[in-house]
Amino acid sequence: MPPEDEGPDAVRRATDACLKLLSMRARSRRELEQALARKGFTEAVCEAALARVKDWGYLDDERFARERATLLLGRGRLGPEAVAHRLRAHGLEEGTAQQALSEARDAVSFDALATARAVLEKRGLLGRPLEARERARAGRLLDSRGFSEDVIYRLLGEASLDPSGPEE
């Protein structure tokens, strides 16, 4: 970049770019760093702009992680592992993601078994005998949604899975 892209004007433009992105939705620090790099800002300008935005209270990875985890768990479509994976995809550290997930579980009174059950009910995979193929599909669905093997086993074990009917 030319030298004029190193001064206060460049920092102002980078800060404006951050604010514009943040006005659309909350973002992690890494997301903003990547966006500024794509726009061609130098590392020094990026750091200065991010420091400004953070000082103003608009950039807080811990808050972002808590809000995102609460939203994703609260929708009732994903399990904890899928939420943690999505948080890490935003560039959040493992510890930050796990802490946010723990706080979100408490905030929404998350029940993995009940959520997994609702996912299967929505797909019509509960409340009737399931063939082996449907049972496998149900297990893959829950696994892809981030539910633990224990939850999958417990839920699919509760359902009447044997086509000949429930055991007596």
Side-chain angles (χ1 to χ4, degrees), residues 91-167:
L92 301 169
E93 294 179 6
E94 182 66 29
T96 302
Q98 290 304 319
Q99 180 65 34
L101 188 55
S102 175
E103 291 175 20
R105 281 179 172 171
D106 293 341
V108 299
S109 301
F110 182 75
D111 180 344
L113 194 60
T115 303
R117 184 178 288 114
V119 166
L120 291 181
E121 285 172 350
K122 186 173 182 177
R123 295 283 178 108
L125 294 169
L126 279 185
R128 63 180 175 81
L130 297 178
E131 297 172 6
R133 189 173 180 182
E134 290 176 307
R135 182 180 180 172
R137 189 176 121 214
R140 286 190 308 270
L141 172 65
L142 293 177
D143 182 57
S144 72
R145 297 281 181 98
F147 292 96
S148 70
E149 287 182 22
D150 179 56
V151 167
I152 295 168
Y153 179 79
R154 287 176 55 202
L155 183 59
L156 294 178
E158 286 179 16
S160 176
L161 300 172
D162 185 352
S164 64
E167 294 180 347

Side-chain angles (χ1 to χ4, degrees), residues 10-167:
V11 173
R12 183 193 51 76
R13 287 193 324 269
T15 303
D16 289 346
C18 287
L19 294 174
K20 183 176 180 180
L21 289 168
L22 289 167
S23 72
M24 292 181 247
R25 71 167 175 83
R27 296 178 193 267
S28 68
R29 179 181 178 88
R30 189 178 96 189
E31 287 178 293
L32 291 177
E33 286 172 346
Q34 290 172 337
L36 293 176
R38 281 191 304 271
K39 291 180 182 291
F41 291 104
T42 66
E43 188 175 331
V45 169
C46 290
E47 286 303 315
L50 291 171
R52 265 189 187 177
V53 173
K54 183 176 177 136
D55 287 346
W56 294 338
Y58 294 124
L59 180 59
D60 182 343
D61 277 354
E62 288 79 16
R63 182 181 65 223
F64 170 79
R66 275 191 313 275
E67 290 171 358
R68 189 78 182 141
T70 300
L71 173 73
L72 292 172
L73 281 182
R75 286 182 177 166
R77 291 181 269 186
L78 297 175
E81 284 305 312
V83 172
H85 176 76
R86 289 181 182 202
L87 294 175
R88 289 188 304 269
H90 284 286
L92 301 169
E93 294 179 6
E94 182 66 29
T96 302
Q98 290 304 319
Q99 180 65 34
L101 188 55
S102 175
E103 291 175 20
R105 281 179 172 171
D106 293 341
V108 299
S109 301
F110 182 75
D111 180 344
L113 194 60
T115 303
R117 184 178 288 114
V119 166
L120 291 181
E121 285 172 350
K122 186 173 182 177
R123 295 283 178 108
L125 294 169
L126 279 185
R128 63 180 175 81
L130 297 178
E131 297 172 6
R133 189 173 180 182
E134 290 176 307
R135 182 180 180 172
R137 189 176 121 214
R140 286 190 308 270
L141 172 65
L142 293 177
D143 182 57
S144 72
R145 297 281 181 98
F147 292 96
S148 70
E149 287 182 22
D150 179 56
V151 167
I152 295 168
Y153 179 79
R154 287 176 55 202
L155 183 59
L156 294 178
E158 286 179 16
S160 176
L161 300 172
D162 185 352
S164 64
E167 294 180 347

